Amino acid sequence: MESGRSRGCLEMWSEENCKLVVQLKNISVHAVNRREIVRQSHVSFSKLLEKIQGLEAYDGHFDEPDITKLWAMISQSIHDPTFIQAVDQLICLQCVQWLVCNQLEKIDAVFHILRDRESSGSDLNTHSGNWWQWIKSGDLFKDRNGSDLMLVLSLSSLGELIYTCVMFIRGFRRMEEGNYPEAVDILEQAAEGLCSKRILAEIYTLIGHCSAQMDRPQTALQYFRWALQADIQCLSALYHAAMVYRQLEMVDAELEALNHLSVALDSWDQHKAGKDVDSQVLIRPEQLVQIPATCHLLTSVNWVHVKHLLARRFLQVGRFEDAAEHYLDLLASFLEESQREVFVVADYTIPRIPEIYLEAAVALLHCRRFNDVITVSEEIASKVTCLISENLTFEIRVNEWLSNDCSKSTEAPEINTSNRNCLLNGFSEWQILGTKKKETLNYILWSATAFLYQGQAFALLKNNKESITNFTRCINLLLKVQVVCPPDSGESDDLLETLKENMTELKILQKLKSLAFTGRGIQLTERGQNLEALQNLQLSLQAYPDSFETIYHLVEVLWKLERKQEAVTFWLKETEAKQRHKVNALKQIPLFVISCLKEINTTEEEAVSKKLEEYCSSFTKRT
């Protein structure tokens, strides 16, 4: 290609470029069709780039589909300063396209080519590996004089923009790999580049997350503050700050942060937030960096998730009135969104919707809003109970597992569900249990919990009959689930107990059984049906042996039945049971399965102990 013809092409391309730039710069910020004009300009610029990419370097042979080699040939073939600047501009635009596709390797290759070109004949060490700093300093992309080419963004600014985005992506990748110290170093360099307020806030948020992972919570909090100072709409920084406060057990600070977040989300206008940028800036860093959809560090914080988190924390720390109000807001939002199927899968960050209803019932119980408890629980019971139509039986087949040394075996027992076809290997979690059967089990647990709380609410309303009815409904539902060994297996009950202790759903089931039997036993005691009450309390302890409240009531019933020696025997187990209860309380029983039975206080405990000691003393004297 001759020099004259090359200049002709350059002039033609420059003229077309300038026309497009003028068109863009003359767009009114408030133009109705501004977005469409920008889109059309993008198409036109892309077509112009395709024309220019059609050039073949003078006397160069190129027959491979490798664009980086093409840029290398062009870079080695040109010497005219004006033409060099035009090629550099095109290379930057090419890098912008690669950035959008996360193709950092191609950007590395091209900038190595440019750096080698600039450093030829100089003392610069081309193998120093610090060439991104060179770009940032402006030594690579100089806005050379003598060009009449109009630009949307200067070459040096575009180079710095690319630098910022590349460092952001690299730091993010190091963070995902778990290399937090290196991630922090790289992201701090990105923060020194050409940043919009949004991308700067996101950089600070990522550094804060890395600091938290490196067990530097105070440093993390400082970066989250800087993120919010950079962009008050960076709500993810506020959310992560709340999580650090939780880690530090700073409950008041955590709740304050979550409350601010909830208020901000209540008034959040996503459309307005998207427009809160400099409309004259056509290329912004956040448009070029692509965060994987699987990463939730920088994604918009979900209102339902935050509202539930706030309600749940208030419930956990005993601020029941606040918890109840937040839960009721949540339930109202479900109804507003016409989520009639309350058993539908909720957002992955929050529990299933029925569990939120049941947590709300717990908060309302503690607030002594008993009629509200009955109403909320009925919402679950009425919609879920009708879905339960058959018994759910789990059958364990151990085969060779028990006959071999368990410590040497790598295989777990097989568990079948009737109707007979679904196989579960291992009993630590429901790994292969059929989805339909597992969902049926969820329905049983949710409905039973709803009846349990209705029973407790009626009991506290002194409606003895309705209380016993609902406790009985709860028990009948739970008895639909039976865990048995095959009839011909000849295995002991120890394996069944191990299974119940290790399956999360069965642990919940056993806890619910215990609470329902205890609740019904207490109500029967109030009616003077002490023998029936004793049977229920004994069944409660069979289901969940570590309930100190149940032991207390059982001892009281035995005393009323004049079975005082048995009462003493049970009470002697009290200390051990109480210690086990403290340990087991730490195990992960869901928040919606909480006993609202009256806790036995120290005075009551001491009164029973004194009464039994006096009986033992007098009995010893008589003998």
Side-chain angles (χ1 to χ4, degrees), residues 112-394:
H112 272 299
I113 293 169
L114 295 178
R115 181 172 173 242
D116 290 344
R117 181 197 69 195
E118 292 295 317
S119 61
S120 59
S122 71
D123 295 332
L124 183 65
N125 180 6
T126 59
H127 301 290
S128 65
N130 198 29
W131 52 281
W132 278 112
Q133 287 292 345
W134 190 25
I135 295 172
K136 178 180 176 294
S137 67
D139 291 336
L140 179 57
F141 292 123
K142 300 183 179 69
D143 292 313
R144 307 172 193 270
N145 298 326
S147 174
D148 296 327
L149 194 64
M150 297 186 67
L151 303 173
V152 174
L153 193 65
S154 70
L155 184 58
S156 58
S157 296
L158 188 56
E160 191 172 353
L161 177 66
I162 294 170
Y163 165 83
T164 300
C165 294
V166 168
M167 299 307 284
F168 182 98
I169 295 172
R170 281 183 168 172
F172 180 84
R173 287 180 178 178
R174 295 296 180 275
M175 182 197 71
E176 282 198 314
E177 294 167 359
N179 190 344
Y180 299 114
E182 187 174 346
V184 169
D185 290 341
I186 296 174
L187 289 168
E188 285 177 342
Q189 294 178 50
E192 297 173 0
L194 185 64
C195 297
S196 63
K197 64 178 185 178
R198 174 178 167 183
I199 206 72
L200 184 60
E202 291 184 348
I203 290 172
Y204 286 151
T205 301
L206 293 180
I207 296 176
H209 172 73
C210 292
S211 299
Q213 297 301 310
M214 294 160 63
D215 199 22
R216 299 175 183 171
Q218 295 300 333
T219 302
L221 289 173
Q222 183 60 59
Y223 273 104
F224 293 142
R225 292 189 195 100
W226 288 342
L228 289 167
Q229 289 171 4
D231 184 4
I232 194 61
Q233 294 176 349
C234 186
L235 300 184
S236 57
L238 188 54
Y239 171 78
H240 292 298
M243 296 302 99
V244 172
Y245 285 129
R246 172 180 292 190
Q247 176 189 344
L248 295 173
E249 298 182 353
M250 299 172 64
V251 177
D252 290 340
E254 177 195 351
L255 291 173
E256 183 181 1
L258 288 174
N259 192 60
H260 284 314
L261 188 54
S262 177
V263 171
L265 289 168
D266 278 335
S267 58
W268 178 256
D269 187 338
Q270 193 168 7
H271 180 68
K272 181 179 178 181
K275 286 191 170 183
D276 189 19
V277 295
D278 187 351
S279 300
Q280 295 296 329
V281 179
L282 294 173
I283 304 177
R284 297 185 298 276
E286 58 266 30
Q287 296 171 314
L288 306 181
V289 294
Q290 300 295 316
I291 299 299
T294 53
C295 174
H296 305 289
L297 279 172
L298 300 176
T299 53
S300 298
V301 184
N302 183 281
W303 180 87
V304 173
H305 171 54
V306 172
K307 199 71 174 178
H308 172 258
L309 193 59
L310 192 55
R312 186 184 181 93
R313 289 299 286 152
F314 277 126
L315 180 57
Q316 289 172 330
V317 300
R319 291 175 58 175
F320 302 120
E321 293 288 346
D322 291 321
E325 291 307 314
H326 285 290
Y327 275 118
L328 290 177
D329 287 344
L330 264 179
L331 302 192
S333 74
F334 294 153
L335 294 176
E336 288 172 5
E337 295 171 9
S338 301
Q339 295 181 348
R340 304 294 184 216
E341 304 290 342
V342 297
F343 49 89
V344 74
V345 176
D347 186 277
Y348 80 98
T349 56
I350 62 175
R352 304 285 294 276
I353 292 178
E355 296 178 13
I356 296 177
Y357 271 79
L358 295 171
E359 289 177 11
V362 173
L364 292 166
L365 265 173
H366 282 289
C367 293
R368 304 187 67 80
R369 296 170 62 171
F370 305 131
N371 288 315
D372 288 338
V373 173
I374 294 168
T375 301
V376 169
S377 299
E378 184 61 28
E379 184 74 12
I380 298 299
S382 62
K383 292 187 177 181
V384 178
T385 306
C386 61
L387 302 172
I388 305 166
S389 60
E390 59 181 336
N391 287 345
L392 193 64
T393 303
F394 296 97

Side-chain angles (χ1 to χ4, degrees), residues 413-564:
E414 295 178 349
I415 303 174
N416 272 354
T417 62
S418 61
N419 305 324
R420 302 299 188 225
N421 292 325
C422 197
L423 180 67
L424 172 66
N425 291 322
F427 51 70
S428 60
E429 292 294 341
W430 303 101
Q431 296 174 352
I432 318 175
L433 183 60
T435 301
K436 182 179 178 181
K437 286 293 183 181
K438 180 178 180 181
E439 197 69 345
T440 301
L441 181 56
N442 283 331
Y443 297 158
I444 290 176
L445 296 177
W446 295 334
S447 298
T449 307
F451 287 133
L452 174 72
Y453 291 151
Q454 285 184 324
Q456 292 182 347
F458 279 118
L460 293 166
L461 287 169
K462 305 302 181 182
N463 189 333
N464 188 270
K465 180 180 177 182
E466 284 297 324
S467 178
I468 291 175
T469 297
N470 281 280
F471 283 133
T472 302
R473 287 174 178 168
C474 173
I475 292 166
N476 289 342
L477 268 177
L478 296 172
L479 291 177
K480 283 180 173 289
V481 182
Q482 301 175 26
V483 185
V484 297
C485 287
D488 57 347
S489 67
E491 306 300 343
S492 67
D493 291 337
D494 293 342
L495 183 61
L496 292 180
E497 295 307 314
T498 303
L499 179 68
K500 291 175 183 178
E501 290 175 4
N502 285 276
M503 278 186 173
T504 301
E505 288 84 351
L506 293 186
K507 284 195 291 186
I508 297 172
L509 184 142
Q510 294 300 104
K511 180 67 173 177
L512 290 173
K513 266 188 195 175
S514 175
L515 292 173
F517 277 122
T518 299
R520 192 167 70 175
I522 293 172
Q523 294 304 301
L524 289 168
T525 303
E526 292 183 1
R527 296 175 67 168
Q529 297 174 249
N530 291 325
L531 281 175
E532 292 87 346
L534 179 62
Q535 291 173 349
N536 277 268
L537 293 169
Q538 288 171 333
L539 289 169
S540 174
L541 285 175
Q542 287 178 18
Y544 200 81
D546 299 335
S547 174
F548 175 64
E549 288 77 15
T550 304
I551 292 174
Y552 173 86
H553 290 291
L554 189 146
V555 167
E556 289 284 59
V557 170
L558 286 172
W559 191 266
K560 290 178 181 178
L561 291 171
E562 295 297 325
R563 294 163 62 171
K564 297 182 178 180

